Amino acid sequence: MLLHIRQEDVYMASRMWFKMPDDDDHLEVVFEDCKKYLAGAANTADWLLVDIYDAEAWGPVYDDVPFYRLCKKALRDGGISSYNVFGGEDFTKSLDNISKAFDGRVLVMPDVAEGNRIILAKKGPKENYSVELLDQRAAELQASRHLPAKKIWKKLKQENNLKGEFQF
């Protein structure tokens, strides 16, 4: 069976299901093979949202250290990449490869019922963070933006065993 998904369908789904905002001075949506695009990008992004699965979601199209290094190269210092990866056995391989490419600067989001996992990776020197200060920021974000920031932060702390001060 051949499944053909049009770019327009992906674009509309990202707006409808993932609440992606319209393009503006701060957001540019690019429809291109990500590896090809990243090969020409250097120090241009503050944040990358990467989903590396094909249209049938059979497995990662790219899931090796050289690919993740391309992602890192595209980020500015302090930039973050977030990777949507499968859970289970594939997760460990993806986490190891991302961790190698980003010199261990990774945090992992907890499991979700759908089976996917999110891995966050940071480019640049490690920085110190205070759990207490981030608790306060999550509460402020939840109050101002009406997002479940405190719940997400609590799960992120638990998954990564973050206490007191930590480096990322």
Side-chain angles (χ1 to χ4, degrees):
M1 176 175 100
L2 177 64
L3 176 65
H4 178 73
I5 297 178
R6 299 175 313 144
Q7 290 177 350
E8 297 84 13
D9 295 336
V10 173
Y11 190 74
M12 292 309 298
S14 63
R15 299 249 186 260
M16 185 169 50
W17 297 105
F18 300 107
K19 309 297 185 211
M20 184 177 71
D22 291 332
D23 290 14
D24 60 19
D25 293 341
H26 304 286
L27 175 68
E28 176 188 10
V29 176
V30 177
F31 287 103
E32 185 174 351
D33 178 275
C34 63
K35 193 170 186 179
K36 180 179 174 186
Y37 177 78
L38 290 170
N43 301 314
T44 58
D46 295 312
W47 191 281
L48 292 175
L49 301 173
V50 182
D51 187 295
I52 56 175
Y53 296 94
D54 63 19
E56 297 170 3
W58 280 107
V61 176
Y62 305 119
D63 190 26
D64 56 26
V65 175
F67 171 73
Y68 294 120
R69 284 190 179 135
L70 281 175
C71 294
K72 181 179 177 183
K73 184 185 90 165
L75 291 168
R76 294 184 182 106
D77 269 354
I80 303 284
S81 273
S82 74
Y83 299 95
N84 178 37
V85 301
F86 285 151
E89 293 175 25
D90 288 336
F91 172 75
T92 302
K93 178 183 176 218
S94 297
L95 177 59
D96 288 347
N97 288 338
I98 294 167
S99 186
K100 286 175 188 168
F102 282 85
D103 305 314
R105 290 179 192 88
V106 296
L107 292 173
V108 178
M109 296 297 292
D111 291 29
V112 294
E114 293 79 17
N116 287 19
R117 301 289 303 268
I118 302 296
I119 299 170
L120 304 172
K122 181 181 171 202
K123 178 181 178 177
K126 286 187 178 180
E127 296 180 58
N128 293 321
Y129 294 90
S130 161
V131 167
E132 182 179 337
L133 178 60
L134 292 175
D135 286 341
Q136 293 171 2
R137 289 188 179 171
E140 292 166 5
L141 182 61
Q142 184 160 318
S144 66
R145 302 282 189 225
H146 308 290
L147 298 169
K150 291 188 333 185
K151 179 181 175 183
I152 293 168
W153 171 234
K154 180 181 177 182
K155 289 182 177 185
L156 187 67
K157 285 190 300 187
Q158 289 171 342
E159 185 69 29
N160 295 279
N161 198 29
L162 303 175
K163 297 176 181 161
E165 298 277 328
F166 68 96
Q167 289 190 328
F168 177 60

